[in-house]
Amino acid sequence: MNKQQAQERIKKLKKVINYHRYLYHVLQKQEISEGALDSLKHELYQLEQQFPELITLDSPTQRVAGKPLKGFKKVKRKLPMLSLEDVFGQKELEAWQDYLKRLIPGQKFDYFSEMKIDGFAISLIYQNGVFWQGSTRGDSITGEDVTQNLKTIESIPLKLEIHGKLPSKEIERNLKREIDPVRNTISNGVEIRGEVYMEKKDFEKFKSTYANPRNLAAGSIRQLNPRLAASRPLKFLAYALITDLGQTRHSQEHQVLSQLGFKADPGKVCKDLNEVIDFWRDITKKRERLPFQIDGIVINVDDNSLFQKLGTVGKSPRGARAFKFSPAQATTFVQDIKIQIGRTGALTPVAHLKPVEVGGVTITRATLHNEDEIKRLGVKIGDTVIVDRAGDVIPEVVKVMKDLRTGQEKEFKMPKTCPVCDSKLLKPAKEAIWRCPNPKCQAKQKRYFYHFISRGVFDIKGVGPRIIDQLIAENLITDPADLFELKEGDLIPLERFAEKSAENLIKAIQQRKEITLARFIYALGTRNVGVETAQDLAEHFKNLENLKKATIEELLSIKDIGPGIADSIHSFFREKRNLNFIDRLLKTGIKIQTPKFQVSSFKFQGQTFVLTGSLKTLSRARAKEKIRNLGGDTSESVSKETDYLIVGESPGSKLNKAKKLGIKIIDEKEFLQLL
Ligand code: IVH
């Protein structure tokens, strides 16, 4: 982007950000998620870093909290209360370290990592060891005196006492001088900063009035009635010792704070970014179970003198960053819209995106579902969009930021013929999806192959899309049955193959010749037949022959099978081509195991399980198989009928729904124990 383009973009970003801030903070309304708004602010910040001459005083990046309220006494402080710049993801974290290394060449940095608690920033001053004054951040230099309200918070000590061993003799001496009123002639005061917050369980009662615990904490402290503050179960977590008592490291500050009787995160000293990332991962895992809300971790250069030397830029220190949890939504650009052809021939328009970190991973693609959805969203190539990736769902474009358009955006037109084989596309009158009707269409065949070898189906280790593409290009395979007839000699001459790797691959394929009936049915790739339906069919029909002969009526008698699914199954087994394919598969020696659940126990009988997020020790398909083997039922969506929600990593919206419905939520460990 050149300077002129950046200037235009910055102007638009400011306007849009201000509009959403106003909506959210003044009108208490919300059109886009906080994650999406953060993402826009982050883009603005990065553009301003690239073109510092374009930073203006009214930029949203220059703002800290808000102006002090009228009703409170003002507090002026010497050291401003700054805020933190965010980083999302490992790449940005590394970029920050590179930046530090450019500022102080040859320096090695270690970092102190701690939780970033989602509350309201407060400064406390103790004179002669006694709590004297507490204030809000305000505009960073001038805050509001909220001492009386803070005095109602039990976790703020009214008097400082030394409870345990301090990190150094010097600190101990200085502290004793500060807080011991006998020997102390003039107290300089001790300033401590931290966060007022409310625990999740206490917040429940206020949910209808406040959007989040942070707003509630702020609202309880920035009001003039200490009785009201006292009635709210607020807590305080200290994260910085501002007064110089001889501490040389931020980690020592945390030790001092906890020895002085504050709640403080013990955090972790990390000798490099890998350790920071490990800490972040660990916290991400614990996050759900913590009693309070956190929105990431804070990373400080641990050595205070280095931290000072690095200084500040704008309103934030260079030596610290907030490493935020990736929100489920973010904004990015649509670089192109392309058609993807699925294994059943369905054409899906896919947005090709500028890489963006959402829900913990970098994404470059988001589905636009179909032609109607493109119309509904009004999305064009070149647009800025909000993408959503809640847990395990496929990333999708949920909104177009039309106010950020330049006029250069291009409209996308759905093709009328298949972009791969040129067949005329078909769309049944009531459906939204265009399909390529050509069974020999290369794109469809490839997709079908990918499905066939995937984890939840034949699960052939070491064979991925790249190898499939290569084997097709070499004319070694035309349908998946060919895979089982491949010999080492076919592979050795190919690029990237040697004797050993050819042997391994053939072994991997041959090892997968035994398969459960449910997986085999799923492998056939019948339209509308997903994992769940395949399981239901296997349970009902017990063997393939019965399924082949099934009538529409019999199919409809199965729970969860409606007319659409029944029809596609029925017609699938009436097509000669499909029956031949099945015969060919069986001739290669594939053995279909009789369903295990007949012999296993009925421990889970009558209980329905739903999965969200990814499990570490087993695939979703395996987890479902295990549940069914024990007589349980699985479903794709949470409802009143659900008995258990199993939560893996990066859970999706199912988690909230389950909470609302009061459904029992268990993690992977608990699930394995149940098993
Ligand atoms: S250090 C330079 N540590 O996050 C700012 N902040 O903008 C020093 N916060 O204003 C803040 N937990 O309200 C720090 N462990 C933590 C924190 C933390 C929450 C808040 C604080 C700050 C904001 C960052």
Side-chain angles (χ1 to χ4, degrees):
M1 205 181 266
N2 64 31
K3 188 168 162 188
Q4 201 196 336
Q5 288 166 324
Q7 191 159 20
E8 274 301 303
R9 182 78 184 167
I10 286 177
K11 199 168 135 199
K12 292 206 170 100
L13 280 170
K14 282 184 196 166
K15 204 165 155 202
V16 169
I17 292 167
N18 276 334
Y19 168 73
H20 289 286
R21 267 189 171 259
Y22 171 75
L23 267 192
Y24 185 62
H25 291 281
V26 182
L27 303 183
Q28 264 128 43
K29 279 189 196 148
Q30 208 171 351
E31 278 176 11
I32 66 173
S33 65
E34 272 186 80
L37 184 55
D38 272 353
S39 197
L40 293 174
K41 283 193 230 162
H42 193 55
E43 186 193 343
L44 176 61
Y45 170 78
Q46 290 195 317
L47 277 178
E48 287 181 344
Q49 291 302 299
Q50 207 182 332
F51 301 99
E53 63 277 24
L54 298 179
I55 302 177
T56 58
L57 275 180
D58 67 348
S59 171
T61 57
Q62 303 302 301
R63 179 206 293 274
V64 177
K67 285 259 169 293
L69 285 186
K70 281 235 171 67
F72 294 102
K73 213 175 82 193
K74 305 280 174 292
V75 173
K76 279 235 174 229
R77 54 177 77 89
K78 279 195 224 87
L79 290 170
M81 278 177 90
L82 301 171
S83 56
L84 292 171
E85 214 40 69
D86 294 336
V87 291
F88 289 101
Q90 202 165 327
K91 278 225 177 68
E92 288 188 19
L93 188 65
E94 281 159 7
W96 171 57
Q97 176 168 270
D98 292 343
Y99 168 66
L100 298 183
K101 290 195 164 162
R102 262 181 275 127
L103 292 168
I104 312 183
Q107 181 66 51
K108 213 185 150 323
F109 295 93
D110 49 11
Y111 306 97
F112 186 75
S113 304
E114 59 191 284
M115 288 186 276
K116 182 172 188 303
I117 192 157
D118 204 3
F120 182 58
I122 286 293
S123 151
L124 306 173
I125 295 179
Y126 288 79
Q127 293 284 8
N128 293 320
V130 177
F131 178 39
W132 170 68
Q133 186 181 64
S135 56
T136 64
R137 176 157 63 176
D139 68 1
S140 112
I141 287 288
T142 312
E144 297 145 351
D145 183 335
V146 287
T147 313
Q148 294 313 318
N149 289 341
L150 292 175
K151 280 191 174 165
T152 68
I153 300 178
E154 298 281 346
S155 46
I156 297 181
L158 294 179
K159 186 167 172 11
L160 296 182
E161 269 167 286
I162 301 172
H163 293 266
K165 197 167 158 12
L166 292 159
S168 76
K169 281 271 168 283
E170 186 190 353
I171 298 176
E172 189 178 332
R173 223 177 15 251
N174 288 337
L175 250 184
K176 278 194 174 146
R177 191 181 313 130
E178 259 303 327
I179 67 181
D180 186 342
V182 185
R183 271 185 288 159
N184 187 38
T185 39
I186 325 155
S187 160
N188 295 316
V190 175
E191 183 179 0
I192 284 152
R193 291 180 188 168
E195 202 84 351
V196 169
Y197 66 96
M198 191 179 280
E199 291 197 344
K200 290 176 194 163
K201 66 174 185 346
D202 294 320
F203 176 67
E204 286 301 310
K205 282 174 258 160
F206 300 94
K207 240 188 181 145
S208 49
T209 356
Y210 291 91
N212 52 47
R214 170 168 30 111
N215 287 4
L216 172 55
S220 312
I221 294 300
R222 297 179 77 223
Q223 54 80 32
L224 292 161
N225 179 4
R227 260 201 222 140
L228 181 90
S231 75
R232 305 245 161 117
L234 298 168
K235 300 215 153 125
F236 180 78
L237 188 96
Y239 54 65
L241 170 64
I242 302 300
T243 312
D244 181 4
L245 296 172
Q247 69 272 30
T248 56
R249 296 194 154 258
H250 186 65
S251 45
Q252 293 183 334
E253 294 176 18
H254 278 248
Q255 289 163 13
V256 173
L257 291 168
S258 66
Q259 298 308 350
L260 284 177
F262 288 93
K263 276 164 79 77
D265 180 3
K268 188 174 178 251
V269 179
C270 302
K271 66 173 195 309
D272 56 29
L273 289 187
N274 287 334
E275 289 193 9
V276 171
I277 288 159
D278 285 347
F279 180 85
W280 187 82
R281 287 223 178 89
D282 194 42
I283 294 290
T284 309
K285 270 185 231 143
K286 291 191 187 131
R287 184 179 179 194
E288 274 291 317
R289 275 172 280 139
L290 289 171
F292 42 76
Q293 278 200 17
I294 56 172
D295 55 359
I297 63 169
V298 174
I299 308 154
N300 276 281
V301 167
D302 196 35
D303 184 322
N304 282 350
S305 63
L306 281 178
F307 186 92
Q308 289 300 333
K309 195 166 161 193
L310 287 164
T312 59
V313 58
K315 303 262 178 181
S316 1
R318 289 197 183 87
R321 285 292 183 267
F323 188 177
K324 290 278 209 59
F325 295 126
S326 172
Q329 292 195 348
T331 57
T332 187
F333 292 100
V334 177
Q335 290 171 331
D336 203 353
I337 297 176
K338 288 190 178 161
I339 291 294
Q340 191 176 71
I341 302 166
R343 65 186 153 86
T344 59
L347 266 70
T348 310
V350 175
H352 289 225
L353 307 167
K354 180 167 176 235
V356 63
E357 163 104 14
V358 199
V361 294
T362 304
I363 64 162
T364 57
R365 304 275 189 275
T367 177
L368 293 166
H369 299 290
N370 54 51
E371 196 179 15
D372 295 348
E373 179 69 0
I374 292 187
K375 283 206 191 102
R376 189 188 70 78
L377 287 165
V379 60
K380 295 180 179 180
I381 298 164
D383 265 331
T384 302
V385 292
I386 299 179
V387 286
D388 185 301
R389 182 190 169 272
D392 35 18
V393 303
I394 304 166
E396 56 176 356
V397 171
V398 292
K399 189 183 164 79
V400 177
M401 306 296 297
K402 291 190 179 151
D403 293 338
L404 291 174
R405 279 187 176 158
T406 60
Q408 303 292 305
E409 295 75 15
K410 278 201 300 262
E411 199 138 346
F412 169 79
K413 283 232 158 48
M414 241 1 227
K416 293 278 168 276
T417 57
C418 173
V420 175
C421 71
D422 215 30
S423 309
K424 199 164 177 301
L425 300 175
L426 297 180
K427 185 171 85 124
K430 273 180 274 160
E431 280 187 27
I433 293 177
W434 287 96
R435 281 176 206 276
C436 169
N438 174 12
K440 294 228 149 65
C441 174
Q442 269 255 341
K444 261 165 86 166
Q445 285 184 336
K446 275 191 184 173
R447 286 275 150 198
Y448 177 55
F449 260 113
Y450 302 163
H451 164 72
F452 193 91
I453 56 168
S454 64
R455 233 175 131 193
V457 191
F458 268 84
D459 192 17
I460 303 179
K461 298 267 176 335
V463 182
R466 214 171 75 168
I467 289 186
I468 292 294
D469 289 358
Q470 191 183 7
L471 297 176
I472 292 177
E474 300 284 348
N475 288 322
L476 285 169
I477 53 175
T478 47
D479 73 38
D482 294 334
L483 274 175
F484 297 98
E485 289 174 340
L486 283 175
K487 298 280 173 293
E488 280 159 49
D490 299 329
L491 302 179
I492 293 170
L494 304 184
E495 207 179 309
R496 291 198 300 268
F497 277 99
E499 239 164 75
K500 190 74 198 155
S501 50
E503 188 192 319
N504 287 343
L505 197 76
I506 300 295
K507 244 194 222 150
I509 296 171
Q510 294 300 320
Q511 265 173 8
R512 287 292 181 227
K513 275 188 165 169
E514 273 202 28
I515 189 165
T516 62
L517 178 60
R519 280 182 185 238
F520 187 84
I521 297 171
Y522 185 41
L524 296 176
T526 315
R527 192 195 299 178
N528 299 329
V529 178
V531 192
E532 308 290 339
T533 307
Q535 287 274 9
D536 290 336
L537 292 171
E539 259 171 70
H540 184 92
F541 291 102
K542 313 279 196 270
N543 64 46
L544 194 63
E545 284 314 304
N546 292 341
L547 174 61
K548 275 190 192 166
K549 287 186 297 215
T551 61
I552 295 265
E553 289 70 36
E554 188 172 7
L555 287 164
L556 281 173
S557 74
I558 302 171
K559 192 180 133 235
D560 294 336
I561 292 190
I565 308 182
D567 187 54
S568 46
I569 299 167
H570 189 258
S571 33
F572 182 91
F573 290 107
R574 301 285 144 331
E575 260 188 63
K576 191 119 192 82
R577 196 163 41 89
N578 296 334
L579 296 174
N580 286 341
F581 172 56
I582 294 174
D583 285 344
R584 268 181 36 70
L585 276 175
L586 298 177
K587 275 210 192 96
T588 65
I590 285 174
K591 286 214 174 58
I592 302 174
Q593 298 158 343
T594 25
K596 270 208 195 102
F597 33 73
Q598 286 176 325
V599 287
S600 217
S601 87
F602 290 95
K603 191 173 166 198
F604 289 167
Q605 177 112 38
Q607 293 180 334
T608 304
F609 292 73
V610 177
L611 280 139
T612 182
S614 51
L615 301 179
K616 275 192 307 250
T617 55
L618 67 179
S619 72
R620 288 165 76 95
R622 269 308 280 154
K624 286 176 181 177
E625 258 171 32
K626 283 183 182 267
I627 293 166
R628 299 220 177 207
N629 284 345
L630 294 173
D633 222 332
T634 58
S635 163
E636 277 305 316
S637 56
V638 171
S639 72
K640 275 184 295 190
E641 266 73 61
T642 311
D643 295 285
Y644 289 95
L645 179 73
I646 306 164
V647 181
E649 238 167 82
S650 339
S653 56
K654 290 176 199 168
L655 180 58
N656 277 336
K657 189 156 178 207
K659 278 186 184 160
K660 268 198 201 117
L661 294 174
I663 282 151
K664 194 160 168 54
I665 295 166
I666 55 174
D667 62 16
E668 185 167 352
K669 218 165 129 202
E670 291 167 304
F671 172 58
L672 293 176
Q673 269 159 9
L674 269 186
L675 283 177

